Amino acid sequence: MKTGERLANLALGGLTLAPLVVKIDPNINVILTACLTVFVGCYRSVKPTPPAETMSNEHAMRFPLVGSAMLLSLFLLFKFLSKDLVNAVLTCYFFVLGIIALSATLLPAIKRFLPNAWNENLIVWHFPYFRSLEVEFTRSQIVAAIPGTFFCAWYASKKHWLANNILGLAFCIQGIEMLSLGSFKTGAILLSGLFVYDIFWVFFTPVMVSVAKSFDAPIKLLFPTADATKPFSMLGLGDIVIPGIFVALALRFDVSRGKESQYFKSAFLGYTAGLVLTIIVMNWFQAAQPALLYIVPAVIGFLAAHVLWNGDVKPLMEFDESKAAAAAAAAAASSEDDGDAKLIKKVE
């Protein structure tokens, strides 16, 4: 881990805990926390091998429709069923999901202190009565899941804002690290669709705000305020993860070309500018704002301006991680076949 990444991790951890001991302006807290989370997630997404699965253009087009259906379903559930019942079911779901996300986030730090055999040797567990279903894991993952389990138990029992935020940050980091848009074209389709999605559900219906306030689960970050009538400011995880995976793609594009985070800086600056503009408009009108309304044009605009200035439009539009993953898999298979051939020849 480079010094910059290590400092970003420490800064994010310190900023998350800081409201327990000192008063921090919620607007500054929102901006710094979101930007640090995107930064950490982006650098964790840079790995020796390309992502095995990437989003297609068709998936990107359908995503806002699927998201709308889920959002409306949650709205109707909260309207016609007991709010406590719905949140109890969701708490059980996020309890399991939280353990997985938190343990995956802690794993890189824990692995350094454990034997290599614990990190590499897989344990295969078959479900009873369903032997065809199996789960693979390592001893290191079990060790990482122990603090995650205790932490999620604390969240489920107390629902403290700090527990909510730590789980929310783990979801964000894992989302940015594991999800791949594949290409900038797919990313532009996804961001454009969610740009319209966010505007429609926030400005034209009460659905988004109602679900955000009723949904007692770590799908949003909570920032303590000094206002007793409004104890927390909120930022949805989607406003971090969705632009974050686009910014992460820009970083991996730079890495693939051997550049020193050239276009990552412009995309990250665009995210920061869009988020700052969201906060300014929200405070000016004293009303909830669809953050993607400001973040999406800023991220795409800053990156597009930089690419046009450098004349790198063609290589950026041709960049495709799904093809890179296929090429890497083919190269690995070819290398394995060559090794087998040499072994056979040696035996003969």
Side-chain angles (χ1 to χ4, degrees), residues 20 30 60 93 98 126 160 167 171 173 195-196 202-203 227 270 288 332-333:
L20 292 172
V30 167
Y93 172 72
H126 293 273
H160 194 275
L167 284 176
F171 290 139
I173 291 170
F195 172 81
V196 176
V202 173
F203 281 153
D227 186 354

Side-chain angles (χ1 to χ4, degrees), residues 118-130:
W118 286 37
N119 298 329
E120 297 171 0
N121 296 344
L122 288 174
I123 299 172
V124 180
W125 183 75
H126 293 273
F127 282 82
Y129 307 110
F130 300 95

Side-chain angles (χ1 to χ4, degrees), residues 133-150:
L133 297 176
E134 62 182 35
V135 178
E136 294 182 347
F137 51 87
T138 63
R139 289 182 175 86
S140 297
Q141 290 173 319
I142 296 175
V143 173
I146 294 172
T149 302
F150 282 106

Side-chain angles (χ1 to χ4, degrees), residues 235 239-240 243 270-271 273-275 278 290-300:
L235 181 67
D239 298 328
I240 299 175
Y271 178 77
L275 190 59
T278 303
L292 295 183
L293 169 63
Y294 310 99
I295 293 173
V296 168
V299 171
I300 295 178

Side-chain angles (χ1 to χ4, degrees), residues 319-330:
F319 180 67
D320 192 333
E321 282 192 314
S322 61
K323 293 179 181 178

Side-chain angles (χ1 to χ4, degrees), residues 5-243:
E5 298 170 57
R6 187 176 290 109
L7 289 175
N9 279 283
L10 292 173
L12 182 59
L15 187 62
T16 303
L17 298 172
L20 292 172
V21 291
V22 295
K23 289 184 179 179
I24 299 179
D25 185 280
N27 296 322
I28 295 174
N29 202 353
V30 167
I31 294 167
L32 291 179
T33 299
C35 290
L36 284 169
T37 304
V38 169
F39 187 90
V40 170
C42 286
Y43 273 94
R44 284 180 62 125
S45 75
V46 178
K47 298 176 181 178
T49 56
E53 294 185 8
T54 57
M55 185 178 291
S56 66
N57 290 346
E58 291 74 19
H59 290 148
M61 291 176 186
R62 286 199 297 263
F63 196 92
L65 300 176
V66 174
S68 296
M70 291 181 64
L71 183 66
L72 187 58
S73 298
L74 285 170
F75 176 75
L76 294 174
L77 283 173
F78 281 118
K79 187 173 182 179
F80 294 109
L81 294 179
S82 166
K83 183 176 168 182
D84 292 336
L85 175 62
V86 175
N87 278 318
V89 174
L90 292 172
T91 296
C92 295
Y93 172 72
F94 278 97
F95 179 84
V96 177
L97 206 61
I99 294 173
I100 296 170
L102 200 55
S103 60
T105 305
L106 295 173
L107 187 60
I110 292 175
K111 284 171 69 174
R112 291 182 292 172
F113 303 100
L114 298 175
N116 286 335
W118 286 37
N119 298 329
E120 297 171 0
N121 296 344
L122 288 174
I123 299 172
V124 180
W125 183 75
H126 293 273
F127 282 82
Y129 307 110
F130 300 95
R131 303 299 294 177
S132 59
L133 297 176
E134 62 182 35
V135 178
E136 294 182 347
F137 51 87
T138 63
R139 289 182 175 86
S140 297
Q141 290 173 319
I142 296 175
V143 173
I146 294 172
T149 302
F150 282 106
F151 190 88
C152 288
W154 174 49
Y155 167 76
S157 61
K158 300 296 182 182
K159 294 295 180 72
H160 194 275
W161 66 265
L162 178 61
N164 174 90
N165 284 7
I166 291 176
L167 284 176
L169 291 174
F171 290 139
C172 287
I173 291 170
Q174 287 303 303
I176 297 171
E177 178 183 355
M178 304 304 296
L179 296 175
S180 171
L181 292 169
S183 68
F184 287 97
K185 182 180 178 181
T186 303
I189 292 171
L190 178 67
L191 290 184
S192 300
L194 291 176
F195 172 81
V196 176
Y197 160 92
D198 219 20
I199 293 172
F200 175 77
W201 289 111
V202 173
F203 281 153
F204 297 101
T205 74
V207 174
M208 180 80 80
V209 175
S210 175
V211 170
K213 290 180 177 179
S214 302
F215 205 138
D216 191 10
I219 60 163
K220 56 187 180 290
L221 299 182
L222 303 174
F223 302 93
T225 70
D227 186 354
T229 60
K230 187 185 176 185
F232 296 103
S233 290
M234 297 185 297
L235 181 67
L237 301 192
D239 298 328
I240 299 175
V241 176
I242 299 301

